[in-house]
Amino acid sequence: MKFKNITLSMLAVGAFALTSCSPGQYWDEPSLSSDALAFANPSQVTLIPAEGAFPSTCTVTVSRSNADTELIVPLFEGAVKTPTDAEKDLLQPGQVLIKVVGQTDPVAVTPPVILFSQKSTELSLTQTEVKFAKGSYTADINLNVDTELVEPGFDYEANFSLVLPDDVNITENSANKKCSFTIRQAVILKWEDAGTASLTSAIMGNKEPIEVKVEVASNYPDKKYALYRLVSPYHAIDPEIPEGYDIQFLCSKGSFRKAYKPLEGWQETGLKVMNAEGYEEFVYLGNTKEYAGSFNNQSKRYILTEAVGLNTLTDATTAQPEDDENPEMETLSFTWNF
């Protein structure tokens, strides 16, 4: 097995100094204690407003605890490899093996090393090393963003990790040895006509179907599923209920519109009820981990079932069924005319 040896570059002997090697791979003296490296933000999320545009580059900042010398840290797209017995005999003390993406043979390198893992092909490295200038406690990793491929609404991700020497003086939280990077652009959904539905509601008790509008989000960021909504269905049943409270759901893309699932979370209905204490509560429909809903269809006949949740505040995140163990369920049955 062959592998390339890489050592850390510095202008002067300092915190990461390497020692000389005698014949037979015996080291004359131990390495000096190394200073800590860390990611300034272990979970970095870059949010771009809907009216903005993706940048062509983004940066991830690495910090260090000693700035007395210039420091150059190798940067690889790859992962640490467990060496075979034969490879162990070739490694110098303190070295690790890195399996580099696109290379057949692993690379032997003396830490510290920064590793990059590409979760989204739209993000790529623009450099092979991270350089700390003398006197500087921080250095940046530049990520290239393929602005021709990225789309609003999708998450684009990359991961970084630090491989540090065994004798490092750890002064940072261990969580800062890794960094997850995410960039996304907000989406303002564009709703377009998607037909009408003849609908009944279990909690409203209307036996005669009421016609409601159905709309589709033409720019919903999903490759497989389309986002639809019933437009103000409870207002259509009872005009005294305010408009503007839509019920959303997901279907497969294409002409068949196969039911996929209700939207995750709680959706406000516009309905209000009075609780036993005399307080007004807002009514929500929910599809959550604790209170799972369902959605299915046969041809153009659809049945959407969700838990009924209540809250005294207009805050969907804290809605709860009146009876946690046996929640009331709402069933919206509709024939979709498209």
Side-chain angles (χ1 to χ4, degrees):
M1 171 65 67
K2 298 183 298 180
F3 53 75
K4 183 179 179 182
N5 275 285
I6 295 180
T7 55
L8 182 68
S9 252
M10 298 186 67
L11 282 183
V13 176
F16 292 98
L18 302 177
T19 58
S20 62
C21 179
S22 301
Q25 297 298 309
Y26 290 99
W27 291 84
D28 296 327
E29 57 186 10
S31 298
L32 299 177
S33 179
S34 303
D35 294 291
L37 296 181
F39 290 103
N41 187 350
S43 181
Q44 182 173 328
V45 179
T46 299
L47 299 176
I48 303 166
E51 65 276 10
F54 279 97
S56 58
T57 59
C58 291
T59 59
V60 171
T61 300
V62 188
S63 60
R64 62 171 175 168
S65 60
N66 188 314
D68 291 344
T69 61
E70 178 183 274
L71 174 64
I72 299 177
V73 182
L75 172 62
F76 296 101
E77 181 179 356
V80 174
K81 178 185 183 296
T82 301
T84 63
D85 289 340
E87 290 169 336
K88 288 180 181 178
D89 293 337
L90 299 176
L91 287 174
Q92 297 175 358
Q95 285 190 322
V96 296
L97 279 184
I98 306 297
K99 178 61 179 175
V100 180
V101 173
Q103 295 186 21
T104 302
D105 296 324
V107 173
V109 60
T110 301
V113 182
I114 300 174
L115 300 179
F116 167 74
S117 175
Q118 182 190 59
K119 294 187 68 176
S120 302
T121 57
E122 294 82 1
L123 301 179
S124 58
L125 291 174
T126 63
Q127 62 202 84
T128 58
E129 59 187 26
V130 179
K131 183 176 181 179
F132 291 84
K134 182 178 180 179
S136 176
Y137 287 93
T138 62
D140 287 337
I141 301 172
N142 294 312
L143 272 175
N144 180 67
V145 181
D146 192 330
T147 55
E148 296 295 320
L149 296 179
V150 290
E151 299 178 48
F154 290 94
D155 284 355
Y156 299 97
E157 301 172 288
N159 289 328
F160 295 89
S161 61
L162 286 166
V163 181
L164 300 176
D166 292 335
D167 61 350
V168 69
N169 294 322
I170 299 296
T171 58
E172 300 283 351
N173 189 309
S174 60
N176 292 73
K177 290 175 66 177
K178 295 183 178 181
C179 173
S180 64
F181 173 86
T182 303
I183 183 171
R184 80 172 71 95
Q185 183 177 9
V187 173
I188 298 175
L189 296 176
K190 299 176 182 178
W191 294 98
E192 298 178 356
D193 178 67
T196 60
S198 301
L199 175 142
T200 61
S201 159
I203 63 174
M204 296 297 290
N206 64 305
K207 295 183 179 180
E208 290 296 322
I210 299 296
E211 183 175 281
V212 300
K213 291 176 59 179
V214 184
E215 294 179 336
V216 60
S218 60
N219 60 337
Y220 180 65
D222 195 289
K223 303 296 185 182
K224 294 177 62 178
Y225 301 104
L227 179 66
Y228 293 89
R229 67 180 181 183
L230 298 166
V231 179
S232 302
Y234 294 100
H235 172 78
I237 296 171
D238 182 354
E240 292 190 2
I241 298 170
E243 293 182 273
Y245 298 96
D246 309 318
I247 302 301
Q248 301 180 6
F249 54 88
L250 294 165
C251 289
S252 63
K253 289 190 172 182
S255 58
F256 291 106
R257 301 186 187 181
K258 181 175 175 57
Y260 174 50
K261 67 177 182 180
L263 194 70
E264 293 184 2
W266 295 96
Q267 302 185 71
E268 193 171 357
T269 63
L271 293 165
K272 299 177 184 178
V273 296
M274 198 70 68
N275 64 21
E277 289 77 28
Y279 294 103
E280 193 176 63
E281 293 189 303
F282 300 91
V283 179
Y284 295 82
L285 299 187
N287 172 45
T288 68
K289 182 179 180 180
E290 297 83 3
Y291 315 107
S294 64
F295 187 37
N296 55 74
N297 74 294
Q298 288 186 345
S299 187
K300 294 187 177 183
R301 181 68 175 170
Y302 293 78
I303 299 177
L304 177 64
T305 302
E306 298 193 62
V308 177
L310 304 174
N311 195 1
T312 54
L313 303 173
T314 54
D315 181 4
T317 61
T318 56
Q320 290 289 326
E322 191 171 24
D323 184 345
D324 286 347
E325 295 184 0
N326 188 28
E328 181 182 4
M329 304 298 290
E330 161 71 308
T331 298
L332 295 173
S333 301
F334 58 93
T335 300
W336 193 352
N337 306 304
F338 58 82

